[in-house]
Amino acid sequence: MAIKVIIMDIDGTLVNDEKVITPLTKETLLKAQDKGVRLVFSFRKTNKWFYLKLAEELDMENHHGLFVCFNGSKVVDCQSHETLL
């Protein structure tokens, strides 16, 4: 079965202690998106600028990535910035 979505938390999962995506992680996630895998960031709080920077770094806008925030009560499309839920 093919992977269609990767859902991840940010702190301690996507970024290291310095709040940086490691080169290997970045390369892997970019390749996954090129194969049609959608990335979803899940987080409790919103620090809009920090998450937008990460989304930009991973080119989520061009791959229809999603943000699931406010403990799951809001879903935002990275491309359209539209609230889906």
Side-chain angles (χ1 to χ4, degrees):
M1 178 177 1
I3 296 172
K4 296 182 181 184
V5 175
I6 298 173
I7 303 171
M8 70 201 92
D9 181 48
I10 305 298
D11 296 320
T13 303
L14 177 64
V15 298
N16 60 21
D17 292 339
E18 290 80 35
K19 305 290 186 206
V20 174
I21 302 172
T22 64
L24 179 59
T25 299
K26 181 178 177 178
E27 178 185 348
T28 301
L29 293 175
L30 288 169
K31 285 181 181 179
Q33 289 180 108
D34 287 341
K35 293 180 179 180
V37 176
R38 183 177 283 197
L39 299 184
V40 178
F41 288 172
S42 175
F43 46 89
R44 182 171 47 102
K45 297 179 183 178
T46 58
N47 178 342
K48 182 178 179 180
W49 303 114
F50 176 68
Y51 300 120
L52 289 175
K53 177 184 172 253
L54 293 176
E56 181 180 326
E57 189 172 345
L58 291 171
D59 197 28
M60 291 174 66
E61 181 176 316
N62 293 315
H63 293 93
H64 299 278
L66 300 172
F67 289 152
V68 177
C69 43
F70 296 112
N71 293 320
S73 66
K74 183 175 182 179
V75 178
V76 178
D77 184 300
C78 292
Q79 184 175 51
S80 68
H81 302 281
E82 177 184 2
T83 298
L84 305 175
L85 174 70

